[in-house]
Amino acid sequence: MDEVYKKVSKFSLEKFGEFFGNIPRIISSPSIFFETIDGSDKEFVKASAFALVVGSLMAILSTPSYKIHDLNLEPSFYAIDIMISWILFATYALQTWFVCKIFMGRGGVISTMSAFFYSMAILVFVKMFEIPSRIIRDEELLGCNLTAETADKMSQAVYSNTYAVSSEMYVAIGYFIFFIVLTNLVKTIHNFGVLRSIAVSLTSLYTISITVSYIQRPVTGSLLCAFKQNV
């Protein structure tokens, strides 16, 4: 058992080390970084592990909101949350690849997904800036009354709170940086020109925002409510 724990700990430390080692490369020279991504299965496995680290960090950054709302969640909640995050990342990556194909992109699905997993590192910092507004949104979700109006109620609650509004401004800056990284991703992987890369990135972000509204948030709310019953 100790041997397994040591191997898991070593693997985790290596992957977290890779995360912090790759962040400067992704931000400073995204095109050069994405040129190193190939369509091999080995690269996909490596990128998938990177995405799990991203999901883990996002789960950790969600903890302040859970604590403020007096949720002492079980470890199994975080395990499920991280797995759901990975599935959502894969969904976003597939959406991006599909949009690229509509725009006659040349890149493969595996290379696109691998590169997208790495680009998600930017959203860890977005998640950090989002903590104040996340607290407001979670309060609405924890009412455990998910309806068609829930998204509107969450937005109204956020924009009625000064700190949450300030948080959203920094989140917007973070998403703009993500947009730049995503533009470089599709440009490099799919050999697009600048204008087509911008159009693809904007379209991809739009489809992703729909998924966030109609899939991610309801799933997160349902998961929170399910585990809330056991608190």
Side-chain angles (χ1 to χ4, degrees):
M1 192 67 180
D2 289 340
E3 190 65 28
V4 173
Y5 176 77
K6 287 179 181 178
K7 287 182 179 180
V8 171
S9 298
K10 183 180 179 181
F11 177 80
S12 300
L13 287 173
E14 286 177 357
K15 294 307 171 184
F16 276 91
E18 286 179 12
F19 173 85
F20 291 105
N22 282 322
I23 282 289
R25 298 171 58 203
I26 295 170
I27 294 176
S28 63
S29 305
S31 292
I32 295 174
F33 178 83
F34 292 129
E35 283 176 356
T36 65
I37 306 297
D38 57 40
S40 67
D41 293 342
K42 182 178 179 181
E43 183 68 59
F44 181 75
V45 171
K46 184 179 177 182
S48 295
F50 186 90
L52 284 174
V53 171
V54 171
S56 300
L57 290 171
M58 287 184 173
I60 291 170
L61 290 171
S62 298
T63 303
S65 176
Y66 301 154
K67 289 294 183 182
I68 284 175
H69 292 105
D70 296 322
L71 294 177
N72 296 310
L73 299 167
E74 304 169 7
S76 58
F77 168 86
Y78 291 99
I80 295 171
D81 189 33
I82 292 168
M83 186 54 62
I84 289 175
S85 292
W86 188 93
I87 293 171
L88 287 168
F89 296 162
T91 303
Y92 304 152
L94 285 170
Q95 288 178 231
T96 300
W97 172 78
F98 184 70
V99 172
C100 287
K101 284 302 173 184
I102 291 175
F103 281 79
M104 307 302 290
R106 301 176 185 175
V109 61
I110 297 299
S111 56
T112 302
M113 291 184 70
S114 297
F116 191 91
F117 284 157
Y118 284 110
S119 73
M120 291 300 294
I122 304 298
L123 298 188
V124 171
F125 298 95
V126 173
K127 197 80 169 180
M128 180 179 67
F129 294 133
E130 193 185 26
I131 289 174
S133 57
R134 173 66 185 268
I135 292 168
I136 303 297
R137 288 194 179 94
D138 281 351
E139 186 174 357
E140 188 65 39
L141 288 176
L142 285 166
C144 298
N145 184 28
L146 297 175
T147 65
E149 290 78 30
T150 298
D152 291 334
K153 289 179 180 178
M154 289 167 66
S155 297
Q156 290 172 7
V158 166
Y159 291 118
S160 64
N161 183 291
T162 304
Y163 292 110
V165 170
S166 299
S167 167
E168 289 295 281
M169 291 174 63
Y170 284 102
V171 167
I173 294 171
Y175 275 115
F176 180 71
I177 295 172
F178 179 69
F179 164 73
I180 293 173
V181 171
L182 185 60
T183 300
N184 280 275
L185 186 161
V186 298
K187 182 176 183 293
T188 303
I189 300 295
H190 290 270
N191 297 316
F192 288 142
V194 175
L195 292 178
R196 195 157 41 145
S197 297
I198 292 173
V200 168
S201 297
L202 289 173
T203 306
S204 296
L205 288 175
Y206 176 72
T207 64
I208 289 170
S209 70
I210 293 174
T211 304
V212 169
S213 296
Y214 291 97
I215 296 179
Q216 179 180 319
R217 285 176 181 167
V219 168
T220 300
S222 300
L223 187 62
L224 282 172
C225 291
F227 278 83
K228 177 185 176 183
Q229 305 305 317
N230 297 322
V231 175

